[in-house]
Amino acid sequence: YLELFTTDAQRFKLRISLYQRGRYLIIWQGFLGTSGYNQSYDNPPYRVSLSAVDGLALLDSIPYLDDNGERYTGVDSVGTIVSRIMGKVGVTSVKYMPMMPIRPAQEGHTIEALGVDAEAIYSTIGESASCRSVLEALLQSLGLQIFQSFGGSWRVRSVASLINTKREIANETINNGGKDIELFSDTDDKGVSTSAILSLL
């Protein structure tokens, strides 16, 4: 297993799939944790443990700079900034769930209608801003969260959208098939716990 040891945190992509109805569905993807290595001094077979991360933690060590190591300039939409940051960890597509419009007769998604000046980012967060700190600041200020959904796709949604009793229907195996999501007591074995903790990025 020595060949698994590397200082490149994105060298090995890991996908976990579920075999269902004759095909494999990706349920999670990320990167194999490769910075540590240990091996039992025992005769085989012995247990091997692997760890992985989804990539968000890796953004902490990536500076918010362009491919030439230069500061970004000008005004970009929030959607462009989020996609640019997630692209640093190999995410090629970020989907944005519906959001309230910010102006009358608005065309297009709100995430593309909101712009942020790069100078404001650097003056607020600092010259040595990491991609993660910029992502966190943007999402937090707009009341948004990013998460990896079923299929390994990344989504951005408004925290306020969680008050809805129905979810987008992707298929019958997730989001409760689009049916009502009821609250149950903590003694029940279904639904959402009334004492659950919602973790936000």
Side-chain angles (χ1 to χ4, degrees), residues 30-200:
F31 300 99
L32 189 63
T34 56
S35 59
Y37 170 80
N38 61 58
Q39 179 176 325
S40 174
Y41 287 107
D42 198 0
N43 293 326
Y46 45 82
R47 182 184 300 271
V48 174
S49 297
L50 303 174
S51 62
V53 295
D54 60 13
L56 288 178
L58 302 179
L59 293 172
D60 214 17
S61 61
I62 301 174
Y64 185 63
L65 301 171
D66 65 19
D67 293 338
N68 298 320
E70 302 290 329
R71 286 175 31 146
Y72 291 103
T73 58
V75 178
D76 287 307
S77 72
V78 172
T80 298
I81 295 170
V82 170
S83 295
R84 175 191 296 152
I85 289 172
M86 294 303 291
K88 303 275 187 182
V89 288
V91 175
T92 57
S93 174
V94 178
K95 297 176 182 175
Y96 300 95
M97 298 175 82
M99 295 175 198
M100 294 295 292
I102 57 171
R103 61 177 182 239
Q106 173 182 311
E107 294 183 14
H109 200 285
T110 299
I111 207 79
E112 294 300 333
L114 290 168
V116 180
D117 193 323
E119 192 58 43
I121 292 174
Y122 291 112
S123 64
T124 303
I125 301 174
E127 294 295 322
S128 58
S130 71
C131 285
R132 181 173 173 174
S133 63
V134 172
L135 182 65
E136 275 184 342
L138 275 179
L139 296 179
Q140 187 175 36
S141 65
L142 296 171
L144 304 175
Q145 66 177 187
I146 189 168
F147 63 99
Q148 189 173 166
S149 182
F150 192 83
S153 64
W154 287 88
R155 293 177 179 255
V156 172
R157 69 180 169 200
S158 165
V159 176
S161 70
L162 297 176
I163 64 170
N164 294 335
T165 59
K166 294 187 181 223
R167 300 286 180 260
E168 176 185 348
I169 303 173
N171 62 48
E172 64 277 5
T173 61
I174 63 171
N175 295 339
N176 204 27
K179 299 174 188 168
D180 288 345
I181 298 176
E182 300 180 27
L183 292 175
F184 291 84
S185 69
D186 293 323
T187 58
D188 213 321
D189 61 353
K190 298 180 184 177
V192 180
S193 166
T194 56
S195 64
I197 296 173
L198 177 63
S199 299
L200 306 176

